[in-house]
């Protein structure tokens, strides 16, 4: 049975900063709490996560189309959807330490008061140090235009989903989609979280990957089960170890205001089990609410059965940052390796699926002379033309260059040596996981790497 590893998070966070995955935002000004910037490798990682999701959810299906809706929408959208009235968490204030906490997180939050070191905030509540819980709306408010009055209030969207519901008619009319069909969207969402934390797990600005699947009402349960399975499989197919994943159906009192059923795909993080993605049955809640709010008919007329109905919705809603962090944590490993001379060392390695890894192939001329760098550049150009993300490194001992790539999860390293330029033209391809090496003709290199990527399995 897999167990959480509390100090793993620190090692992953340190690697992220050292190697350019994730930086504290505005660091040169002292940083801003719970805001992060993705560095060169983090930007590639996130792009690969989004590409893998878009491939699985849109490109490889003929029943789902994409959308890219605005972050700032008509304020009525959020009144109709129930977010203005109900998108809130309960917060409490501590009269002693002046901290402000989410009521449902008190069991996990350590009391910040030094005197109470080691105890959780729930104990302070039980001792009567907290105010009564009150609702705190999580939506960020701002003003559109130069006048700051109540008429100009707009919200930064707290989920991408509503942009899909408000475009339901546009998509049906322009794309001739009919239930069962889905609309997928990737984009930023904003929530004024009371207690953000655990690195990029819970932040106030984050990216979501959401899909609303519109179905005839009688088919909702069947599609719900289908999407729970599909979404669980997506993480496994992209390299996450299945024994660190589980499906957790929500209890009745956990369900969001719009949902009649929800299952979370959870991951065993270093701090314990946490939600990675939620798959919810939203019924006809949203289309009905918007139809009422805007006065337009958002039902669907089925030509085949001659019936009109409001489609029900099954929604797989994932977090891109949370998925990227999960891939990082799950891939992280420290292995003891022994060289031919019997010398042991610890190698830090990220066992990313090659599809998710920020760099696919590193290219090393063995030495900076004898035509090797020039030949290496030519080979790199071929790999670039094939759409593979590459990295060129000609500095330092070859063993050190391998270690640097292991640490950022590059699955393949190609070395150009004396045999390449003087003898048979072949290059060495070194595999990150097995550390095995093959000699390959440059003309076969792209196909060789693509085959290895397809055949990749987590060891
Ligand atoms: N449209 C439904 C919806 O937004 P949610 O469970 O609130 O459902 C979906 O969010 C996913 O978005 C979560 O499973 C998580 O991966 C991600 N997410 C939500 N809040 C987040 C936050 N504050 N920081 C990072 N990711 C977040």
């Amino acid at each position: 049975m897999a167990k959480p590893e509390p100090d793993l998070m620190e090692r992953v966070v340190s690697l992220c900063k050292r190697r350019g995955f994730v930086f504290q935002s505005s660091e040169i000004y002292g940083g801003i709490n719970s805001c992060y910037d993705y560095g060169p490798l983090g930007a590639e990682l996130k792009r690969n996560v989004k590409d893998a999701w878009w491939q699985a959810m849109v490109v490889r299906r003929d029943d789902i189309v994409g959308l890219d809706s605005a972050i700032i929408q008509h304020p009525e959208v959020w009144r109709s959807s129930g977010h203005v009235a109900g998108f809130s968490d309960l917060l409490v204030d501590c009269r002693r330490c002046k901290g402000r906490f989410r009521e449902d997180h008190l069991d996990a939050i350590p009391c910040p008061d030094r005197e109470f070191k080691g105890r959780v905030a729930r104990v302070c509540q039980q001792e009567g140090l907290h105010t009564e819980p009150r609702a705190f709306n999580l939506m960020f408010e701002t003003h559109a235009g130069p006048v700051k009055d109540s008429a100009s209030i707009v919200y930064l969207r707290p989920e991408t989903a509503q942009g899909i519901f408000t475009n339901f008619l546009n998509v049906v009319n322009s794309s001739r989609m009919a239930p069962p069909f889905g609309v997928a969207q990737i984009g930023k969402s904003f929530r004024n979280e009371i207690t953000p934390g655990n690195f990029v797990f819970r932040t106030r600005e984050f990216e979501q990957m959401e899909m609303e699947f519109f179905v005839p009402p009688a088919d909702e349960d069947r599609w719900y089960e289908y999407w729970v399975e599909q979404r669980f499989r997506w993480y496994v197919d992209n390299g996450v170890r299945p024994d660190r994943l589980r499906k957790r159906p929500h209890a009745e009192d956990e369900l969001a205001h719009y949902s009649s059923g929800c299952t979370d795909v959870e991951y065993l993080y270093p701090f314990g089990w946490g939600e990675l993605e939620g798959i919810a049955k939203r019924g006809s809640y949203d289309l009905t609410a918007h139809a009422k709010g805007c006065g337009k008919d958002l039902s669907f007329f089925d030509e085949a059965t001659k019936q009109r109905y409001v489609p029900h919705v099954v929604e797989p809603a994932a977090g891109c940052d949370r998925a990227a962090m999960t891939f990082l944590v799950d891939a992280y490993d420290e292995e003891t390796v022994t060289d031919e001379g019997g010398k042991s060392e610890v190698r830090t390695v990220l066992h990313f699926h090659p599809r998710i890894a920020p760099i696919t192939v590193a290219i090393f001329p063995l030495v900076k002379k004898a035509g090797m760098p020039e030949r290496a550049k030519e080979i790199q150009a071929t790999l670039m033309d094939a759409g593979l993300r590459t990295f060129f490194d000609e500095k330092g001992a070859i063993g050190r260059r391998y270690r640097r790539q292991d640490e950022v999860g590059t699955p393949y390293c190609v070395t150009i040596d004396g045999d390449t330029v003087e003898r048979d033209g072949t290059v060495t391809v070194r595999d990150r996981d097995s550390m095995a090496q093959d000699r390959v003709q440059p003309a076969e290199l792209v196909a060789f790497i693509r085959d290895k990527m397809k055949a990749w399995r987590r060891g």
Side-chain angles (χ1 to χ4, degrees):
M1 180 69 182
K3 290 200 180 74
E5 300 167 65
D7 65 341
L8 174 60
M9 206 62 217
E10 253 167 59
R11 282 177 278 154
V12 173
V13 172
S14 149
L15 172 79
C16 281
K17 168 143 201 222
R18 198 169 65 246
R19 298 307 310 272
F21 281 93
V22 182
F23 307 125
Q24 176 75 58
S25 186
S26 325
E27 198 180 336
I28 58 169
Y29 287 98
I32 168 164
N33 188 24
S34 296
C35 295
Y36 296 94
D37 297 336
Y38 287 82
L41 292 178
E44 296 288 349
L45 172 66
K46 260 184 94 174
R47 200 177 54 84
N48 290 346
V49 170
K50 288 186 271 188
D51 279 356
W53 189 87
W54 197 261
Q55 278 288 331
M57 302 297 276
V58 181
V59 178
R60 287 170 186 273
R61 301 191 63 110
D62 61 5
D63 56 354
I64 303 182
V65 291
L67 185 80
D68 188 349
S69 70
I71 286 173
I72 296 175
Q73 299 166 31
H74 195 295
E76 280 304 321
V77 169
W78 307 107
R79 272 188 269 283
S80 298
S81 68
H83 284 80
V84 171
F87 193 57
S88 44
D89 282 334
L90 290 179
L91 73 76
V92 291
D93 290 295
C94 179
R95 294 189 194 90
R96 189 186 155 97
C97 74
K98 308 292 175 220
R100 187 164 270 192
F101 310 111
R102 224 173 108 168
E103 210 275 341
D104 60 339
H105 284 179
L106 290 179
D107 294 319
I109 297 173
C111 170
D113 196 318
R114 277 222 193 113
E115 215 175 287
F116 292 153
K117 198 165 178 264
R119 87 180 196 181
V120 291
R122 179 75 69 198
V123 180
C124 305
Q125 186 190 42
Q126 284 157 353
E127 289 183 1
L129 295 173
H130 289 177
T131 57
E132 281 303 306
R134 62 197 161 91
F136 172 75
N137 195 297
L138 300 179
M139 281 199 295
F140 275 99
E141 263 182 36
T142 185
H143 294 266
V147 183
K148 287 194 173 169
D149 62 12
S150 59
S152 68
I153 289 179
V154 290
Y155 304 96
L156 301 187
R157 67 178 176 201
E159 61 171 13
T160 65
Q162 295 306 322
I164 298 179
F165 297 124
T166 55
N167 277 292
F168 172 73
L169 277 188
N170 284 337
V171 173
V172 168
N173 293 337
S174 62
S175 314
R176 300 164 49 112
M177 302 301 283
F181 80 97
V183 181
Q185 161 152 249
I186 299 178
K188 290 259 179 174
S189 292
F190 302 82
R191 295 181 191 176
N192 198 2
E193 298 280 1
I194 300 162
T195 39
N198 285 326
F199 198 35
V200 296
F201 181 83
R202 181 171 287 105
T203 50
R204 296 190 173 115
E205 171 184 345
F206 53 98
E207 246 176 314
Q208 288 188 305
M209 308 185 289
E210 298 196 289
M211 194 275 289
E212 309 303 317
F213 203 70
F214 299 94
V215 300
D219 296 346
E220 185 175 3
D221 285 341
R222 185 163 65 79
W223 281 107
Y224 172 62
E225 278 158 33
Y226 169 86
W227 280 112
V228 170
E229 286 312 312
Q230 289 292 309
R231 294 307 305 150
F232 184 90
R233 269 244 66 82
W234 183 81
Y235 292 100
V236 177
D237 288 348
N238 284 294
V240 178
R241 290 165 294 176
D243 66 335
R244 303 236 143 201
L245 287 168
R246 73 178 183 192
K247 297 170 210 149
R248 191 183 67 80
H250 279 204
E252 198 74 20
D253 61 354
E254 281 181 273
L255 293 172
H257 62 277
Y258 50 74
S259 165
S260 63
C262 185
T263 297
D264 285 345
V265 176
E266 292 192 335
Y267 182 78
L268 185 55
Y269 295 100
F271 45 85
W273 287 101
E275 173 189 341
L276 179 50
E277 163 160 1
I279 299 96
K281 289 199 277 184
R282 292 182 82 123
S284 62
Y285 176 87
D286 302 272
L287 289 180
T288 307
H290 286 301
K292 201 166 153 218
C294 71
K296 296 199 170 69
D297 182 4
L298 299 183
S299 63
F300 176 81
F301 182 70
D302 186 339
E303 292 289 349
T305 61
K306 303 286 178 222
Q307 279 183 340
R308 181 168 284 287
Y309 62 86
V310 179
H312 281 208
V313 169
V314 177
E315 175 198 63
C320 177
D321 309 78
R322 225 174 254 191
M325 177 178 130
T326 307
F327 287 122
L328 267 163
V329 167
D330 195 69
Y332 188 94
D333 200 8
E334 287 171 12
E335 299 171 355
T336 305
V337 286
T338 310
D339 67 15
E340 283 157 7
K343 208 172 126 223
S344 293
E345 64 165 337
V346 173
R347 89 163 175 146
T348 301
V349 53
L350 294 177
H351 291 289
F352 284 133
H353 190 298
R355 207 169 23 234
I356 297 295
I359 300 164
T360 317
V361 193
I363 296 132
F364 306 152
L366 187 61
V367 289
K368 273 201 240 176
K369 57 184 181 194
M372 289 180 212
E374 294 76 14
R375 185 71 189 112
K377 284 281 179 194
E378 286 167 8
I379 290 169
Q380 181 182 28
T382 318
L383 297 169
M384 282 174 168
D385 285 347
L388 297 169
R389 186 76 177 94
T390 62
F391 181 80
F392 188 87
D393 187 4
E394 56 184 1
K395 294 193 197 97
I398 198 78
R400 277 185 63 80
R401 282 186 257 174
Y402 283 146
R403 292 290 175 271
R404 285 182 58 78
Q405 292 306 313
D406 289 344
E407 204 184 32
V408 298
T410 306
Y412 313 111
C413 294
V414 170
T415 303
I416 286 79
D417 58 17
D419 283 357
T420 320
V421 289
E422 284 160 17
R423 223 167 58 91
D424 56 7
T426 58
V427 297
T428 343
V429 181
R430 185 260 198 181
D431 183 288
R432 173 198 66 202
D433 300 331
S434 65
M435 294 189 279
Q437 303 196 2
D438 289 286
R439 287 212 75 98
V440 179
Q441 279 295 341
E444 287 156 19
L445 190 55
V446 170
F448 181 84
I449 287 171
R450 288 221 185 285
D451 286 350
K452 276 182 84 73
M453 287 176 80
K454 262 195 213 139
W456 186 88
R457 292 281 170 279
R458 181 77 187 256

